[in-house]
Amino acid sequence: MSATAGKLEQLPGLPCTEECLLRAGNTNCGGCGMSTGLTMLGRALRDAGETCTLVIPACCGIVTAGAFPTTSYGVPTVATTFASAPAVASGLASIRDLNGEPGQVICWAGDGGTYDIGLATLSAAAERNENIIYFCYDNEIYGNTGGQRSSSTPAAAHTTTTPWGKAEDKKDIVSIMAAHRIPYAATLSIAHPEDFADKIKQALSMTGMRFLLIHSPCPTGWKSEPADSVELVRIAVNSGLFPLYEVFHGLDYKINVEPDGTTDPADYFSRQKRFHPDEIDLEATRKRCENRFNQLRALARINLAPVS
Ligand SMILES: Cc1ncc(C[n+]2csc(CCOP(=O)(O)OP(=O)(O)O)c2C)c(N)n1
Ligand code: SF4
């Protein structure tokens, strides 16, 4: 857990500084939601006076670090194999807690490492209620190896391994995590910075396994304009495609942002070339969003009226 790389701005036990998590000079693509998410996480840690050790499996997030002996991360960072980040983080957190050391152990992983290849160790860490915070920046694709489909890729998206559009719908990872009855699971959007910061604050105030899913635009994989990134995920939230909600202990659901009733999912699809407009069933998509929200409302006991 000690910072041995020499050039780190951040030492264990000291709070984050403005740039402690993601430094300028990294080579991430323009408009990358993961970069924005890291910056927002860094600010939230700084505001809370917290520090962390990052545990990152194979994904764009570990390419971000750059080549030794330089690094774009200003905190101690452990690179793991694809499948083992939650297991490595569990070990680090156990040693920290045994030694009474400060700081959070934070996994930072893509959807490939979370929904697919790391799911077994993620489930195991959740079942043991390990004292870690797990972030999945969900760009809905295996980004750094050229854009293959993952089980998070939404239906109809064209990827290098679904050249005719993906047949299956996105896996509901939050329900899977909630089914482990972990203390906290939540969805986050970089288009909602206050909600984003509140959820990190909430996670930092708790112990045990905390899982946070960030909808993370990827202009390279989504074939969208970098300048559209934040707007795209805003449309996803406001149209009901990516609901913002929290689940406490697998039981208590809280919806944070309701669809605004005027934003249409059509705008989301038409601004990304991974979707072909003639292949999207908009009526079915609108109905799916409505049904999902009615299900969440029922779970949150906000609206107990019968689902129409
Ligand atoms: C076991 C294993 N299989 C495949 C790879 C090659 N690989 C490295 S990163 C990556 C894609 C990661 O996708 P994701 O987790 O979604 O993160 P992103 O690249 O989108 O940031 C792949 C397939 C690997 N490193 N290890
Ligand atoms: S490929 Fe996507 S996730 Fe990876 S750095 Fe580029 S924009 Fe970010």
Side-chain angles (χ1 to χ4, degrees), residues 27-35 60 137 139 143-144 216-221:
T27 56
N28 295 347
C29 312
C32 174
M34 178 192 64
S35 299
C60 285
Y137 64 92
N139 62 11
N144 92 77
S216 189
C218 170
T220 312

Side-chain angles (χ1 to χ4, degrees), residues 16 23 85 96 122 136 145 156-157 180 183 188 190-191 203 214 235 247 261 293 302 306 308:
C16 269
R23 293 164 165 165
R96 174 204 58 197
L122 177 60
C136 171
T145 43
H180 290 76
L188 286 69
I190 58 169
I214 305 172
I235 295 170
V247 192
F293 252 96
I302 288 171
S308 57

Side-chain angles (χ1 to χ4, degrees), residues 208-285:
M209 183 79 182
R210 292 143 285 170
F211 178 83
L212 294 96
L213 181 73
I214 305 172
H215 199 202
S216 189
C218 170
T220 312
W222 294 13
K223 302 186 177 20
S224 54
E225 288 300 320
D228 278 354
S229 285
V230 174
E231 189 53 22
L232 281 174
V233 290
R234 194 193 319 279
I235 295 170
V237 171
N238 290 343
S239 66
L241 280 167
F242 190 86
L244 290 184
Y245 64 104
E246 297 164 289
V247 192
F248 295 86
H249 306 288
L251 288 171
D252 298 330
Y253 280 69
K254 185 176 169 197
I255 298 173
N256 310 109
V257 180
E258 285 278 338
D260 62 13
T262 57
T263 306
D264 195 273
D267 300 335
Y268 182 76
F269 298 114
S270 66
R271 291 163 77 162
Q272 303 172 61
K273 292 197 178 65
R274 64 177 170 151
F275 297 111
H276 296 190
D278 51 320
E279 295 170 4
I280 307 285
D281 184 341
L282 280 171
E283 268 322 301
T285 304

